[in-house]
């Protein structure tokens, strides 16, 4: 349920950021990229949670706490391992959030 609420909030903030005056400025562009990448990360995490419900835990966890594929391989297991790379969406989202905040501060100091 949290993923649905978080995804909805991201879509709403993206929509509102497009309607603000000065929306063409660089900080707002970075902020919209932040919303986009966090939304992708959210969808990815939700898909992984749903796949974990259908996969048996003894198939993809070994005794040494490392994820391993112990077979048989099918599309669900391969999709699960591909989607576990959620940092490919989360790290760019955090980077663009940082760039957005940095640009907002620089824009504010430029007015003085």
């Amino acid at each position: 349920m949290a993923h649905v609420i978080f995804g909805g909030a991201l879509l709403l903030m993206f929509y509102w950021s497009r309607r603000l005056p000065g929306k063409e400025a660089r900080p707002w562009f970075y902020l919209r990229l932040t919303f986009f990448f966090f939304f992708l990360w959210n969808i990815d995490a939700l898909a992984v949670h749903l796949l974990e419900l259908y996969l048996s835990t003894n198939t993809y966890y070994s005794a040494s706490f490392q994820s391993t594929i112990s077979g048989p391989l099918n599309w669900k297991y391969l999709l699960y391992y591909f989607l576990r790379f959620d940092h490919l969406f989360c790290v760019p989202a955090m980077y663009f959030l940082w760039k957005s905040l940095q640009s907002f501060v620089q824009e504010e100091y430029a007015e003085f």
Side-chain angles (χ1 to χ4, degrees), residues 6-7 9-12 17 27 31 34 36 39 45 52 55-56 64 68 75 77 80 82 87 96-97 99-100 103:
F6 184 56
L10 287 170
L11 288 175
L12 187 63
S17 71
L31 193 59
T34 299
F36 174 72
F39 184 75
E52 284 176 343
L55 303 176
S56 65
S64 62
T68 58
W75 68 272
Y77 291 110
Y80 172 78
F82 176 73
H87 58 280
F96 286 123
L97 178 61
K99 287 296 288 180
S100 173
S103 298

Side-chain angles (χ1 to χ4, degrees), residues 23-104:
K23 64 183 177 190
E24 310 306 328
R26 180 64 72 191
W28 290 104
F29 174 73
Y30 287 141
L31 193 59
R32 283 191 294 277
L33 280 175
T34 299
F35 297 151
F36 174 72
F37 278 107
F38 270 132
F39 184 75
L40 289 179
W41 170 77
N42 188 41
I43 296 298
D44 185 332
L46 181 61
V48 168
H49 291 319
L50 292 175
L51 274 174
E52 284 176 343
L53 294 175
Y54 294 108
L55 303 176
S56 65
T57 56
N58 59 357
T59 305
Y60 58 87
Y61 285 114
S62 67
S64 62
F65 298 109
Q66 294 179 351
S67 294
T68 58
I69 300 176
S70 59
L73 293 180
N74 60 21
W75 68 272
K76 289 179 186 176
Y77 291 110
L78 294 175
L79 181 65
Y80 172 78
Y81 278 102
F82 176 73
L83 292 177
R84 290 291 292 181
F85 291 112
D86 60 346
H87 58 280
L88 295 176
F89 298 122
C90 193
V91 171
M94 290 185 282
Y95 171 76
F96 286 123
L97 178 61
W98 172 73
K99 287 296 288 180
S100 173
L101 294 174
Q102 184 183 37
S103 298
F104 276 122

